Amino acid sequence: MTVAVTKEADLKSKFTGALIGTAVGDALGAPMEGWSFEKVRSVYGNCNYYNSYSNKKGWKMVCRYYTDDTEMMIGVAESLIRNNGFDGADMARTFVQNAKRKRWYGPGTMEVLERIRAGESWEDASGKLFDGEGSYGNGAAMRIAPAALFYYDNPDMLREVAYKSSHITHSHRLGTEGAVLQAFAIALAVLRREKEGMLADLRESLQDNAYIYSEKLKAVETLMAKGGGKEDVIAELGTGEAAFNSVPTAIYSFLCTDNFEDAVSYAVSLGGDTDTIGAMTGAISGAYYGAECIPDEWLSQLEEGKKGKSYIIWLADELYYRYYFLRLKFCETFC
Ligand code: R7I
Ligand code: MG
Ligand code: MG
């Protein structure tokens, strides 16, 4: 991984951008989760992007209520902040305490959280799902932004914490590897000033046995080179709830556009798991472009309340300060 020096102000903005970017992408995609590409197009028009936030008929893009994607991302951030790093038991407890059915959780994740609530070990509960195979849903990848930020400059810890935090609900190798890939995409977005070479770095971040993700990243490269249409992107990368059918799609949405608004608009315009592909694209794009690049029009609509927009911004600040002081302490001791 190439390490670049990022200015402090930029870095703080990137932390905020990734967390608020998750919430904005989630809230923007939520009203059309599960819609086909054709249905999204018929409602919001055939334009490539939704810059005007409404189509010719006056349909407004709504960016108001977040779902499980953001609620779980909040849990990851809260636990990392409380413990100055990863603590699996605390993170599992936080997920259980935060979970609200009205946020539309994936059934596998809800079952794991109920098992833990009922007293099962947080370390074993996820392994009971899908005939003991564990889930390969995108539920671990969609919430990974805080961990990716906290360990963005430490690839070994990044991998370890992405893996361990995922395992609480997703023990299938393809579920955890998808979260690791998404974590590396966010970390690279923090580190880099240009996108060139990111795909090669991402490929390097994969484990040897992550065959399907290598294939998907190759497809991302081909689509980038030939400028594939949306139908090709949907067919080759997917828009489903499996991590391997959505994490590469989010990476592509970020790579094939050149600002936050277009990236997230593109992601949700594909249909399918729109809130989650929107959330993951928002996390990568927010980490790359910074919080200032998130359109006010979207941010102003985002829900407030106990754990709304202001709270998420506060979490990003806290996470940044914890990161900063821990690195400072490390340097005082070892540098
Ligand atoms: O991964 P998860 O938390 O779901 C996240 C999705 C996002 O779209 C959120 O916005 C929310 O709507 O839900 O929840 P899981 O239930 O673990 O995984 C999601 C889905 O992936 C499952 O309901 C299954 O349809 C599928 N899936 C599997 N199918 C067969 N075998 C996941 N793992 C398997 C598997 O091993
Ligand atoms: Mg959701
Ligand atoms: Mg979803």
Side-chain angles (χ1 to χ4, degrees), residues 26 33 67-70 103-105 142 273 275-276:
D26 178 12
E33 186 180 22
T67 73
D68 57 327
D69 307 48
T70 303
R103 299 288 186 185
W104 300 102
Y105 277 71
M142 71 193 187
D273 195 358
D275 64 330
T276 305

Side-chain angles (χ1 to χ4, degrees), residues 4-7 10 14 188-196 198 288:
V5 181
T6 309
K7 281 191 291 179
D10 292 351
K14 281 165 172 274
L188 284 168
V190 174
L191 284 164
R192 284 189 165 264
R193 295 229 170 78
E194 77 293 317
K195 296 180 183 176
E196 215 184 313
M198 266 180 86
Y288 188 77

Side-chain angles (χ1 to χ4, degrees), residues 64 69 96 139 163 177 242 257 273 326 333:
R64 194 157 304 144
D69 307 48
V96 171
Y163 177 80
E177 194 63 26
T257 49
D273 195 358
L326 281 178
T333 318

Side-chain angles (χ1 to χ4, degrees), residues 1-4 185 188-189 191-204 221 224 251 254-258 288-289:
M1 184 187 281
T2 318
V3 179
L188 284 168
L191 284 164
R192 284 189 165 264
R193 295 229 170 78
E194 77 293 317
K195 296 180 183 176
E196 215 184 313
M198 266 180 86
L199 261 181
D201 281 353
L202 275 177
R203 225 177 283 126
E204 262 179 48
E221 194 168 16
M224 295 286 297
I251 292 169
F254 162 68
L255 288 175
C256 77
T257 49
D258 57 15
Y288 188 77
Y289 300 111

